[in-house]
Amino acid sequence: MKPPAFDYIAATSVDMAIAALAAAGSEAKIIAGGQSLMPMLNFRLIRPSVLVDINGIADLAYIEEAGSGIRVGALARHYQLETSAVIARHFPVLSCAMTHVAHLAIRNRGTIGGSLSHADPAAELPMLALLLDASLHIASASGTRTIAARDFFLDALTVDLASTDILTEIVLPKLPPRTGWGFAEVARRHGDFALVAVAATLTVSDDTIRQARIALTGVGPTPLRAAAAEALLCGHALEASLTGRAIDAVRAGIAPETDLHASSDYRRHLAGVLAGRALAAAWRRAQASKA
Ligand SMILES: Cc1cc2nc3c(=O)[nH]c(=O)nc-3n(C[C@H](O)[C@H](O)[C@H](O)COP(=O)(O)OP(=O)(O)OC[C@H]3O[C@@H](n4cnc5c(N)ncnc54)[C@H](O)[C@@H]3O)c2cc1C
């Protein structure tokens, strides 16, 4: 398949990309890893007249520790996240999730900025951005702004980005000590998009959950946090009846669609099962971190 014709601009700096986007307005699209954009072009789902290639912006592909957070450049590849020692130390849940994203060849090219901007309803990185309370830095000709991940994802494949915006950096605040994590996903085949995936963290002291986070993907147009389940876990130890109530709250808080791959009922059932597994793993890891 061949894409429709387009003009091509290879940006070598963020400023150059911003200028090219501003000049082309709504006619332009950024290309990063191209792993979602190229199929969309080839299927004629979009027809931008200008592609602004940001792969040549060498200083946009970093992962670095900075005080209370980790800064990730928008051009950091999926494989970089998967294998980063900094990510493994601070966000093992993210390292684990990355192994579920597509296949190695795709992870070698795909970028965090591309995945968050594309916002596939079954993608892992938007869910992780939500779980980890990420902040997203965005630049355009009119200046810069920062938006919380919880406000960024608006609908399926729709985020708070104008055609003249470039997502430049993602900041992940470090998790509190004694935080355990869990990740559980079901996909039809390894490397496929998730039917449903759940990521959870539990921060524990004195055998009591002080902070709970549960995020889901594949259960709606955008990734979700299971706020009601998170609230009922806080202040308690995780035991079977509490896990059961959290699972019920997760299921009550979602309204998945039926599609070609799974029914709404199946997805809701799966979300509960996976939430139970993710919570059990998070509790076990939090308890193990006591020593
Ligand atoms: C066979 C296959 C299987 C896959 N399976 C999975 C999976 O299981 N899980 C998963 O999460 N993903 C999966 N993907 C998608 C993959 O993760 C993509 O890499 C990702 O969705 C897009 O990242 P990209 O860098 O390739 O972006 P691109 O394809 O280059 O761009 C995607 C969109 O984001 C915009 N964009 C890119 N970078 C920026 C930026 N910095 N600022 C503003 N806008 C930007 C582009 O304009 C475009 O609209 C799969 C892809 C394929 C082909």
Side-chain angles (χ1 to χ4, degrees), residues 81-82 84-99 128 131-132 175 179-183 200-201 285:
L81 291 166
E82 181 184 343
S84 159
V86 175
I87 297 295
R89 186 159 64 249
H90 293 285
F91 308 111
V93 64
L94 176 52
S95 312
C96 171
M98 293 316 297
T99 64
L128 265 292
L131 179 84
L132 298 173
L175 294 164
T179 297
W181 62 275
F183 179 88
T201 62
R285 289 188 172 107

Side-chain angles (χ1 to χ4, degrees), residues 22-221:
S26 60
E27 291 295 310
K29 269 280 179 196
I30 290 174
I31 181 163
Q35 300 303 301
S36 297
L37 187 74
M38 288 314 299
M40 292 183 82
L41 289 175
N42 291 345
F43 284 117
R44 305 295 197 269
L45 295 173
I46 50 171
R47 291 171 176 268
S49 59
V50 181
L51 282 195
V52 179
D53 186 343
I54 60 171
N55 286 279
I57 310 180
D59 57 2
L60 212 55
Y62 52 86
I63 299 174
E64 61 190 33
E65 202 165 343
S68 59
I70 306 300
R71 299 170 56 223
V72 182
L75 207 55
R77 309 280 168 186
H78 299 338
Y79 183 69
Q80 255 178 287
L81 291 166
E82 181 184 343
T83 55
S84 159
V86 175
I87 297 295
R89 186 159 64 249
H90 293 285
F91 308 111
V93 64
L94 176 52
S95 312
C96 171
M98 293 316 297
T99 64
H100 292 260
V101 176
H103 306 279
L104 187 55
I106 292 162
R107 297 202 294 273
N108 275 334
R109 292 298 303 164
T111 65
I112 184 170
S115 180
L116 298 183
S117 304
H118 183 63
D120 189 289
E124 287 84 357
L125 272 167
M127 169 179 67
L128 265 292
L130 208 58
L131 179 84
L132 298 173
D133 289 335
S135 298
L136 279 50
H137 293 192
I138 294 161
S140 73
S142 48
T144 58
R145 65 188 168 102
T146 300
I147 183 168
R150 68 175 169 279
D151 299 321
F152 184 67
F153 301 104
L154 303 177
D155 205 341
L157 307 181
T158 309
V159 295
D160 185 358
L161 275 182
S163 60
T164 48
D165 284 340
I166 175 169
L167 174 58
T168 52
E169 182 177 88
I170 296 87
V171 178
L172 304 170
K174 289 179 187 171
L175 294 164
R178 298 219 44 220
T179 297
W181 62 275
F183 179 88
E185 170 169 328
V186 167
R188 293 179 77 203
R189 295 167 305 190
H190 183 75
D192 280 6
F193 277 99
L195 282 182
V196 178
V198 181
T201 62
L202 294 176
T203 304
V204 173
S205 66
D206 302 325
D207 292 327
T208 302
I209 296 169
R210 306 296 173 186
Q211 185 192 82
R213 302 185 197 180
I214 305 169
L216 299 99
T217 192
V219 295

